[in-house]
Amino acid sequence: MTERVLYGYYRSSAAYRVRIALNLKGLSYRQQAVNLLKGEQRDPAYLALNPQGLVPALLDGGQLLTQSLAICEYLDEAYPDTPALLPRDLHERARVRALALSICADIHPLHNARVLKYLEGELEQPEAARLQWIRHWIATGFEALEQQLAAKPQPFACGDAPGLLDVCLVPQVFAARRFGLDLTPYPHIVRIDAALASLPAFAAAHPAQQADAPPV
């Protein structure tokens, strides 16, 4: 059997999503660290693998996959006998995809490493201004997401079992806490995150549990 390899960085929200998805589906994988702070994503060897120079990238069955949501949906389609990440109902699938995209396309890109580096470098924004930027955009996204989750309360973000929305939510909450956002206004988000924290698939994917995480 061809080895499954996940290229990622311990603190990358996008790589964190894929770790959770692989764990939920019970799929084994080896991790290959790409240190974003050291610029390893721009090394010629990695760019030859993934010209975008982003993480994660997943090598599965000799095929390379990129972009976390595309990888998650691939896993659902390639391994249908494992726990599903997306619901069967057509309209509910669209709802879950929309909420997942609200995190992955609307919140996370505004505070990822290359955006923060640009704010600090080219735009010469001090740390206080950068933190204000980060907290503003996460809070803006969370305000809408909290309302949408409250309108249809469930044990987890998208039903009775964890799925794609949970895969996206937990890394975003981790990032919100890392940047010091007050989560008090988002009780549904906090409740779901707490329910997921103790599940083995989520606990094993936590940044602190990764081999490339710095020692505490």
Side-chain angles (χ1 to χ4, degrees):
M1 180 179 177
T2 305
E3 185 180 33
R4 187 178 295 113
V5 182
L6 175 64
Y7 295 83
Y9 179 61
Y10 80 101
R11 210 167 58 186
S12 159
S13 294
Y16 191 175
R17 293 170 203 143
V18 176
R19 292 196 300 266
I20 297 171
L22 287 163
N23 294 346
L24 280 174
K25 296 186 80 66
L27 299 171
S28 62
Y29 58 100
R30 175 175 68 84
Q31 294 199 64
Q32 179 64 50
V34 179
N35 192 314
L36 302 183
L37 295 185
K38 293 181 179 179
E40 291 178 357
Q41 71 276 21
R42 295 188 297 276
D43 286 351
Y46 187 69
L47 288 174
L49 187 74
N50 179 8
Q52 281 190 298
L54 301 173
V55 296
L58 179 69
L59 191 62
D60 187 37
Q63 299 295 316
L64 187 77
L65 304 143
T66 62
Q67 293 292 339
S68 62
L69 284 188
I71 294 171
C72 290
E73 294 215 29
Y74 160 83
L75 294 174
D76 236 15
E77 295 168 2
Y79 302 99
D81 295 331
T82 60
L85 299 177
L86 282 162
R88 285 181 170 271
D89 179 79
L90 180 65
H91 294 95
E92 188 61 15
R93 284 170 74 91
R95 174 180 175 269
V96 169
R97 282 187 174 116
L99 293 175
L101 280 166
S102 75
I103 295 172
C104 301
D106 296 336
I107 302 175
H108 171 240
L110 290 168
H111 68 75
N112 71 15
R114 57 182 180 170
V115 168
L116 299 183
K117 186 175 181 180
Y118 186 78
L119 288 172
E120 180 180 10
E122 282 81 347
L123 299 186
E124 300 181 344
Q125 294 300 304
E127 182 179 9
R130 299 196 305 272
L131 282 174
Q132 183 179 355
W133 166 279
I134 294 165
R135 292 168 185 162
H136 169 78
W137 290 116
I138 297 178
T140 299
F142 272 11
E143 286 167 11
L145 183 60
E146 175 71 16
Q147 293 179 43
Q148 291 165 297
L149 293 174
K152 193 173 183 179
Q154 296 172 295
F156 297 110
C158 54
D160 295 329
L164 183 65
L165 183 51
D166 305 272
V167 163
C168 299
L169 180 65
V170 165
Q172 189 57 62
V173 173
F174 172 82
R177 289 194 171 109
R178 182 163 72 92
F179 292 119
L181 179 68
D182 178 14
L183 296 178
T184 305
Y186 319 112
H188 286 84
I189 290 175
V190 171
R191 173 187 62 79
I192 293 166
D193 178 72
L196 294 164
S198 62
L199 299 183
F202 289 81
H206 192 280
Q209 301 303 313
Q210 307 316 303
D212 59 324
V216 177

